[in-house]
Amino acid sequence: MNSEAAVGNLLEEAKTIIGDQQAGIRDGIVKSIYDTSENITKDVVSYTSANRVDWDRKIDNIITSPVWGFPIMFGILAVIFWVTIAGANYPSEFLAAQFFWVQDRLTELFWALNAPDWLHGFLVLGVYSALAWVVSVMLPPMAIFFPLFTLLEDAGYLPRVAFNLDRFFKKAGAHGKQALTMSMGFGCNAAGVIACRIIESPRERLIATLTNNFVPCNGRFPTIIALASLFIAGSVSVTIASAIATLGVAVIVVFGIAVTLFVSWLLSRTLLKGEPSSFTLELPPYRKPQVGQVLVRSVIDRTIFVLSRALVIAAPAGGLIWIMANNTVGDTTILAAAANWLHPFAGLMGLDGYILMAFILGFPANEIVFPILIMSYVSGGTMVQMESLADLRHLLIDQHGWTWLTGLSTVIFALCHWPCGTTLFTIQREQKNWRWTLLAAILPAGIGIIICITITALARALNLV
Amino acid sequence: MGLTYQSTGRSTTREIFNVHNAGSELVIALAGNPNTGKSTVFNALTGLRQHTGNWPGKTVLRAEGSFIHGGRHYTLIDLPGTYSLHANSVEEEVARDFLCFAKPDATVVVVDGTCLERNLNLALQVMEITDNVIVCVNLIDEARRKNMHININKLSNALGVPVVPTAARGGEGLSELMAAISDVALGRVVPKPVLVRYSDAVEKAIAQVEPKVREIIGAHINTRWVALRLIDGDTKLVQAIQRYYNDQESKQAEAALEVLA
């Protein structure tokens, strides 16, 4: 008897019986099971102390509720950014002052030693000042943001974020666990890509991998935060400025999540067609965060790690920029020539040649994009000495003609461009297919370029700039 | 002795799952959600008499152990920890296929007493596949600490299967669990699971599909459950049925040849 083939036919038959209700069937079946469990549990479980309060449940009902879940998420995000932005300003200023005081002393030392000009230029104006910029611009936001983020993680909030986002990912045709891998991406995109292993289906894993880069990682957060606070600070009163900067960063993050969802949706409709599979997400109990441990962990694991990676890459990059700024081809420096060459295209995107070049040079690590930009502005322009962040603002806006559009385009491009070298390397290692790796680079870069060009064209057409 | 399903079918499908001594011993499956102390129960029951490996063809860890109760030998198979049996993951597929095709003599579903509601989902799904279910309410000590009281008799009545409270870490309730297992495995107690009632549309569809299922695959597998899975559009189960019964038929043919020779 060939009964086995007949089972397959039965499946077809079952389909015709259930007809067009098929879509709701699975949810209906799961719901019936859950309802039965709930009813039985209600019947058999009792609590001896009447005034016992299940706080976890009560809190979960609020922060994962369809109504309050998102406002609360946005609010928590905003508070963290606000604390970071408001808090990072002063130490940044202080560090910058210290570092450039030391730079002056170093210069004096080199003069006293009769060192050749190029050596002083390469080591002090190149390598040292690149390191100084990385530390003073990037360290304070990192030192504040990372512990706060780790505290949230430790308290058990991140799985709730995943829970809130799950239905959106499902609608986008992606796996609900992508909400988790995306959250990991906020820490580090390379780690987020590795985390995609938790997704079983290869299709959904690819979607999660390809879109992981759309959330700003540890390396890009400080860039965005620094740009936001720097750009807005001073233009309005201090409190309003930090509030606006906060809102700006929060909007950028939400925008990144929206792009993630949109691209996932696009991929699951085109290149990677298929149905999302369901999964169970266990919400761990809330725990009191171990503040001491969190501080140590976030300082050592994240701040030091990210900073040292940035420093290792910034040092040669700083030297390279000094060389490019002090050697000429024809009648311009290499730096200016490269920037000029990039400028027409960068201009279309609302950027300038130097900004685009900084992103290209920042390929090994996104952390150094902004410091590289400052370096190339400084070595390319007339201003050699910078004493404070006010000077930095002056450098961007007055000397290099930054408008709100330049700031916005830079932030958007920081959010949507090629992943850093480490992330691409990780994608290649995980997927073992250079086509997907290439797509992982082209996809975000293409989207970033398109968005920037569109915004710029619109702004110019409407005479907003 | 004729080649009945009972004599060859069950042991050959069990062989596919690498169950040792498949013919002579009683086989008990251990199911449960992750983090319910399932492994603690497994270790407490089997002690050092266990060996581990992978599930055939899968990179999912598999542990098998044995214990003796009342002079009988029991083989205990630790299924992967899962939240459901809808075969969304390899683990769920492995657990489901074992329950469905290896037909253990009894299945213990370990549930976490402190979050019974979430854990019962799996128990209800297991009960749809097999009648011989024992629910083990583990972590009962933690539940007590949380001032929770679970009415075991009421739960047993609501589910229609034996329920044993345990605190496997402290060894509490383990002898009762063993007794319940042997009662069910040897047929001294016959559980009558109270099954989930689905919506009218689903129930109507089940009523239409189930007779056809029985016609084709007989009563080897719970026909109501197969009907339900078919309605859900579960292609993986169809593939699994085809795979396991093809395998088994070839083995049955081999066995028949041996008898003839």
Side-chain angles (χ1 to χ4, degrees):
Chain A
M1 176 180 75
N2 190 13
S3 60
E4 286 68 39
V7 186
N9 300 339
L10 261 185
L11 190 64
E12 294 305 312
E13 216 166 305
K15 244 180 216 162
T16 43
I17 287 174
I18 205 74
D20 51 356
Q21 303 164 45
Q22 177 75 46
I25 284 291
R26 168 156 281 205
D27 282 349
I29 289 175
V30 172
K31 191 176 179 300
S32 297
I33 296 175
Y34 275 57
D35 288 349
T36 311
S37 294
E38 195 182 338
N39 288 335
I40 295 177
T41 308
K42 254 188 224 146
D43 242 23
V44 302
V45 176
S46 54
Y47 292 97
T48 39
S49 64
N51 55 356
R52 181 188 166 283
V53 185
D54 189 346
W55 282 107
D56 277 18
R57 179 65 73 84
K58 283 215 152 83
I59 297 171
D60 272 345
N61 280 344
I62 298 170
I63 70 175
T64 61
S65 85
V67 184
W68 294 107
F70 277 92
I72 289 175
M73 217 165 77
F74 193 79
I76 290 178
L77 216 61
V79 168
I80 288 187
F81 293 146
W82 182 78
V83 172
T84 309
I85 289 168
N89 233 342
Y90 178 74
S92 268
E93 188 101 23
F94 174 78
L95 282 173
Q98 297 308 306
F99 275 114
F100 291 105
W101 181 84
V102 172
Q103 185 171 334
D104 289 346
R105 302 292 86 74
L106 280 175
T107 302
E108 283 167 16
L109 182 72
F110 272 73
W111 283 343
L113 292 173
N114 274 327
D117 252 4
W118 64 266
L119 188 68
H120 166 251
F122 181 79
L123 287 180
V124 177
L125 299 181
V127 175
Y128 175 84
S129 77
L131 296 180
W133 279 119
V134 169
V135 175
S136 55
V137 174
M138 308 294 278
L139 177 63
M142 280 191 220
I144 299 171
F145 179 76
F146 293 168
L148 289 177
F149 196 76
T150 319
L151 277 177
L152 268 194
E153 218 178 310
D154 213 46
Y157 184 66
L158 287 196
R160 271 81 188 175
V161 171
F163 182 88
N164 282 336
L165 292 171
D166 169 54
R167 55 198 160 114
F168 291 92
F169 281 101
K170 206 174 158 192
K171 268 189 200 137
H175 198 287
K177 278 186 197 165
Q178 195 180 332
L180 284 174
T181 63
M182 188 188 74
S183 303
M184 286 285 289
F186 279 114
C188 169
N189 292 133
V193 166
I194 293 177
C196 292
R197 285 180 186 176
I198 62 171
I199 300 172
E200 287 275 343
S201 118
R203 180 190 79 89
E204 288 155 342
R205 189 187 304 168
L206 248 174
I207 293 180
T209 305
L210 293 177
T211 55
N212 195 271
N213 192 47
F214 289 114
V215 289
C217 63
N218 278 340
R220 288 179 289 159
F221 252 125
T223 311
I224 293 169
I225 290 173
L227 266 171
S229 48
L230 189 81
F231 205 73
I232 294 161
S235 55
V236 244
S237 85
V238 181
T239 20
I240 300 173
S242 58
I244 294 174
T246 302
L247 203 66
V249 177
V251 166
I252 280 292
V253 170
V254 172
F255 177 72
I257 296 174
V259 174
T260 305
L261 287 167
F262 172 72
V263 176
S264 301
W265 177 83
L266 206 66
L267 283 172
S268 75
R269 291 290 175 290
T270 54
L271 276 179
L272 298 162
K273 274 189 191 132
E275 285 301 307
S277 42
S278 53
F279 78 112
T280 312
L281 177 68
E282 191 165 5
L283 295 181
Y286 290 100
R287 283 178 219 101
K288 207 177 117 216
Q290 296 160 296
V291 179
Q293 242 190 30
V294 164
L295 282 178
V296 172
R297 236 173 32 210
S298 62
V299 166
I300 292 173
D301 292 357
R302 293 194 170 163
T303 311
I304 303 281
F305 169 76
V306 173
L307 198 65
S308 57
R309 194 173 86 119
L311 289 177
V312 165
I313 290 160
L320 180 71
I321 286 169
W322 185 85
I323 292 172
M324 286 170 76
N326 287 278
N327 286 284
T328 51
V329 272
D331 48 0
T332 50
T333 63
I334 301 175
L335 188 72
N340 284 339
W341 184 74
L342 289 171
H343 192 75
F345 185 68
L348 281 181
M349 294 168 58
L351 310 173
D352 66 26
Y354 287 100
I355 305 174
L356 193 54
M357 192 170 59
F359 276 113
I360 294 170
L361 288 174
F363 173 71
N366 282 306
E367 294 88 332
I368 62 166
V369 169
F370 194 42
I372 285 185
L373 177 62
I374 300 168
M375 285 282 305
S376 33
Y377 273 164
V378 170
S379 27
T382 46
M383 188 196 279
V384 183
Q385 288 298 343
M386 305 249 309
E387 252 92 47
S388 71
L389 289 185
D391 286 340
L392 192 55
R393 200 182 130 69
H394 171 69
L395 174 79
L396 295 183
I397 293 175
D398 301 332
Q399 294 207 325
H400 286 272
W402 277 44
T403 60
W404 65 266
L405 183 64
T406 325
L408 183 65
S409 298
T410 309
V411 168
I412 287 177
F413 201 58
L415 186 75
C416 300
H417 70 293
W418 47 85
C420 74
T422 316
T423 305
L424 278 182
F425 176 72
T426 310
I427 293 174
Q428 170 62 27
R429 213 181 40 198
E430 292 291 303
Q431 294 293 338
K432 300 207 168 48
N433 182 337
W434 62 270
R435 287 186 195 88
W436 291 123
T437 311
L438 195 67
L439 185 64
I442 292 174
L443 198 68
I447 286 170
I449 290 171
I450 290 169
I451 295 175
C452 285
I453 289 180
T454 312
I455 290 177
T456 307
L458 270 178
R460 288 190 181 141
L462 298 172
N463 277 328
L464 293 173
V465 195
Chain B
M1 185 178 154
L3 284 171
T4 60
Y5 172 71
Q6 197 64 29
S7 69
T8 60
R10 186 183 278 189
S11 59
T12 44
T13 20
R14 279 181 184 172
E15 269 166 29
I16 298 170
F17 288 96
N18 285 352
V19 179
H20 296 259
N21 305 322
S24 57
E25 287 183 11
L26 292 161
V27 173
I28 313 297
L30 197 60
N33 286 17
N35 307 320
T36 52
K38 187 163 68 72
S39 299
T40 319
V41 172
F42 179 77
N43 290 335
L45 287 178
T46 61
L48 293 173
R49 289 178 304 275
Q50 39 175 280
H51 39 105
T52 53
N54 273 354
W55 286 91
K58 304 270 162 57
T59 51
V60 177
L61 190 74
R62 171 184 190 282
E64 179 183 326
S66 64
F67 65 91
I68 297 168
H69 186 265
R72 294 288 304 246
H73 228 85
Y74 295 81
T75 299
L76 194 61
I77 309 287
D78 193 12
L79 300 179
T82 59
Y83 296 101
S84 86
L85 292 176
H86 287 148
N88 293 322
S89 64
V90 188
E91 283 83 2
E92 293 184 8
E93 213 181 312
V94 164
R96 184 187 76 179
D97 286 358
F98 188 84
L99 292 176
C100 185
F101 302 112
K103 302 185 128 244
D105 298 290
T107 301
V108 179
V109 183
V110 182
V111 300
D112 178 351
T114 61
C115 37
L116 203 57
E117 184 179 331
R118 187 199 296 158
N119 280 241
L120 281 181
N121 294 323
L122 181 71
L124 291 169
Q125 289 178 48
V126 172
M127 281 156 45
E128 286 181 333
I129 301 180
T130 166
D131 283 355
N132 292 344
V133 172
I134 300 115
V135 170
C136 162
V137 180
N138 195 28
L139 302 174
I140 197 79
D141 48 341
E142 264 187 48
R144 271 196 298 262
R145 212 171 307 127
K146 287 189 169 180
N147 293 325
M148 277 174 84
H149 179 75
I150 300 168
N151 188 331
I152 298 294
N153 284 333
K154 224 173 177 180
L155 181 60
S156 179
N157 285 336
L159 294 172
V161 303
V163 177
V164 182
T166 60
R169 231 175 339 192
E172 185 186 333
L174 287 173
S175 52
E176 289 86 347
L177 181 61
M178 279 196 213
I181 291 171
S182 77
D183 281 348
V184 171
L186 297 173
R188 284 196 293 259
V189 168
V190 181
K192 291 262 179 300
V194 179
L195 297 179
V196 175
R197 281 283 307 171
Y198 293 100
S199 64
D200 290 346
V202 174
E203 288 291 346
K204 231 168 80 190
I206 291 176
Q208 284 183 56
V209 177
E210 196 181 349
K212 290 174 184 143
V213 173
R214 188 170 295 127
E215 212 171 278
I216 291 173
I217 59 170
H220 298 347
I221 315 173
N222 187 315
T223 47
R224 174 185 158 89
W225 178 71
V226 174
L228 177 71
R229 300 316 305 152
L230 289 174
I231 291 161
D232 196 359
D234 192 337
T235 47
K236 272 190 193 160
L237 178 66
V238 173
Q239 289 161 8
I241 290 177
Q242 288 166 352
R243 199 166 57 238
Y244 285 109
Y245 284 114
N246 278 338
D247 241 7
Q248 185 201 302
E249 271 183 2
S250 60
K251 285 209 173 149
Q252 262 178 338
E254 270 168 39
L257 284 174
E258 264 170 45
V259 171
L260 288 174

